[in-house]
């Protein structure tokens, strides 16, 4: 946490695979959307975790603690694909690229903010710092273009289409050198397109899309099972367990009241009310 105290933000991607409660939230949203996952952002006071950018997904921002000031700008590209996101990989956007400001607000604990896919946004934690969850609905994966491309790639993997695994002609980069060569390449391209679309139907697109979402859900449920195992382990702390204290943090160990048939447990510390020992 030293970096956080020095002003750095803590970002946990796919925190739904680490936290059982967040995992359950994302699975519940899966009844309304094909898939949902979560990232968590802990931002120091008066700091900014990331620079202005857009995303290829719709997001729901859940403010868990503190306050955060948000600015939402326009969308440079309507409903962008992944390669059309802006402000990523260290690229800084100019005011012209961000476009006009469409919304400015401060979210507080318990608030939810929705940012549609493609809208440039930025945020800054207020004086108390901020902790929020970004619930991502990866709508770029749900587009007609996306599922169609998946279906085409899947069908072109079939053994009868092995010839399409060959490289395109090396001369394609420079362009056809003759009318005859251009006709040959056009014919080959037409064969690829015809073969790619021949077996694509609504049923096949549905099956491929369903298989992809089932794979995402399977990984999420598997992470949930591992998370429950970790929680059960952590709950197994006994009076005989060795615990390490942290300077500056107060804590107490609660133990059941002794009964007539159960001996008391001895140990260091001051006996308090209800069998509590304070250290």
């Amino acid at each position: 946490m030293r970096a956080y105290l020095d002003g750095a933000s803590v970002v946990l991607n796919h925190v739904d695979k680490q936290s059982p409660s967040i995992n359950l939230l994302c699975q519940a949203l899966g009844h309304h959307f094909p898939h949902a996952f979560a990232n968590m952002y802990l931002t120091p006071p008066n700091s900014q975790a990331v620079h202005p950018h857009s995303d290829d997904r719709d997001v729901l921002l859940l403010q868990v603690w503190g306050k955060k000031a948000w600015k939402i700008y326009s969308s440079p590209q309507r409903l962008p694909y992944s390669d059309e996101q802006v402000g990523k990989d260290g690229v800084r956007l100019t005011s012209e690229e961000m476009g006009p400001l469409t919304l400015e607000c401060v979210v507080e604990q318990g608030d939810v903010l929705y940012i549609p896919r493609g809208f440039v946004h930025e945020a800054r934690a207020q004086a108390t710092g901020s902790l929020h969850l970004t619930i991502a609905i990866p709508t770029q994966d749900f587009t007609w273009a996306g599922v169609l491309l998946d279906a085409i790639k899947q069908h072109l993997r079939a053994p009868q289409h092995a010839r399409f695994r060959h490289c395109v002609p090396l001369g394609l980069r420079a362009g056809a050198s003759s009318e005859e060569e251009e006709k040959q390449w056009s014919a080959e391209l037409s064969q690829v397109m015809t073969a790619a679309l021949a077996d694509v139907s609504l049923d096949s697109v549905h099956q491929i899309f369903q298989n992809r979402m089932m794979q995402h859900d399977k990984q999420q449920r598997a992470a949930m099972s591992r998370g429950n195992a970790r929680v059960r382990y952590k709950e197994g702390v006994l009076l005989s367990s060795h615990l390490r204290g942290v300077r500056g943090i107060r804590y107490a160990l609660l133990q059941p009241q002794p009964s007539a048939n159960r001996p008391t447990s001895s140990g260091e510390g001051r006996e308090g009310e209800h069998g509590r020992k304070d250290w």
Side-chain angles (χ1 to χ4, degrees):
M1 297 298 290
R2 180 176 298 176
Y4 172 80
L5 296 176
D6 289 338
S9 295
V10 179
V11 181
L12 297 179
N13 290 323
H14 285 283
V15 71
D16 56 294
K17 295 183 178 180
Q18 302 295 325
S19 167
S21 57
I22 298 175
N23 188 292
L24 286 174
L25 171 61
C26 291
Q27 289 195 56
L29 288 172
H31 295 296
H32 306 279
F33 305 101
H35 182 65
F37 65 92
N39 301 326
M40 187 176 75
Y41 295 82
L42 176 62
T43 311
N46 305 310
S47 298
Q48 188 176 48
V50 292
H51 296 290
H53 67 280
S54 68
D55 294 311
D56 62 352
R57 66 207 63 170
D58 291 71
V59 296
L60 296 168
L61 306 171
L62 282 63
Q63 190 67 26
V64 180
W65 165 79
K67 298 180 181 180
K68 210 164 196 179
W70 288 86
K71 292 182 179 180
I72 315 299
Y73 302 91
S74 64
S75 178
Q77 172 61 55
R78 184 173 181 268
L79 302 177
Y81 296 125
S82 295
D83 60 345
E84 295 174 322
Q85 300 173 101
V86 297
K88 302 280 188 172
D89 300 323
V91 177
R92 301 290 184 91
L93 299 178
T94 65
S95 57
E96 290 77 14
E97 291 172 323
M98 289 189 291
L101 185 67
T102 60
L103 176 66
E104 186 171 9
C105 63
V106 175
V107 296
E108 303 182 5
Q109 182 174 343
D111 289 344
V112 178
L113 176 64
Y114 167 62
I115 301 180
R117 169 181 158 203
F119 281 75
V120 176
H121 53 276
E122 64 175 322
R124 182 171 295 275
Q126 301 300 281
T128 57
S130 168
L131 176 67
H132 85 267
L133 287 176
T134 294
I135 305 297
I137 314 297
T139 40
Q140 191 272 339
D141 293 342
F142 311 155
T143 61
W144 279 109
V147 296
L148 179 60
L149 287 174
D150 285 344
I152 290 174
K153 287 190 292 184
Q154 184 67 30
H155 288 302
L156 288 179
R157 291 175 182 269
Q160 64 267 30
H161 301 314
R163 69 184 188 278
F164 298 132
R165 293 176 179 263
H166 292 278
C167 296
V168 298
L170 295 178
L172 186 61
R173 178 178 179 182
S177 59
S178 65
E179 183 177 346
E180 181 180 352
E181 192 172 49
E182 183 176 353
K183 288 182 178 179
Q184 178 185 350
W185 292 352
S186 295
E188 291 183 14
L189 177 61
S190 179
Q191 290 177 13
V192 174
M193 295 176 62
T194 300
L197 296 174
D199 298 326
V200 175
S201 64
L202 181 59
D203 288 341
S204 63
V205 169
H206 168 260
Q207 188 61 49
I208 291 172
F209 179 65
Q210 186 180 50
N211 289 342
R212 178 200 274 190
M213 295 302 105
M214 287 176 62
Q215 183 64 24
H216 286 320
D217 293 342
K218 181 179 178 181
Q219 295 174 355
Q220 202 168 59
R221 288 194 299 269
M224 177 65 181
S225 299
R226 293 193 298 270
N228 281 340
R230 285 195 294 269
V231 170
R232 286 194 295 269
Y233 175 78
K234 291 179 180 179
E235 289 176 345
V237 177
L238 306 175
L239 289 175
S240 59
S241 299
H242 294 279
L243 304 177
R244 183 175 64 181
V246 178
R247 184 182 298 275
I249 297 180
R250 296 190 60 189
Y251 56 93
L253 178 63
L254 302 179
Q255 63 181 13
Q257 280 287 358
S259 65
N261 299 323
R262 184 172 55 202
T264 59
S265 173
S266 61
E268 297 179 359
R270 177 175 57 82
E271 188 78 25
E273 293 182 326
H274 307 296
R276 189 181 73 182
K277 291 189 177 182
D278 293 321
W279 275 264

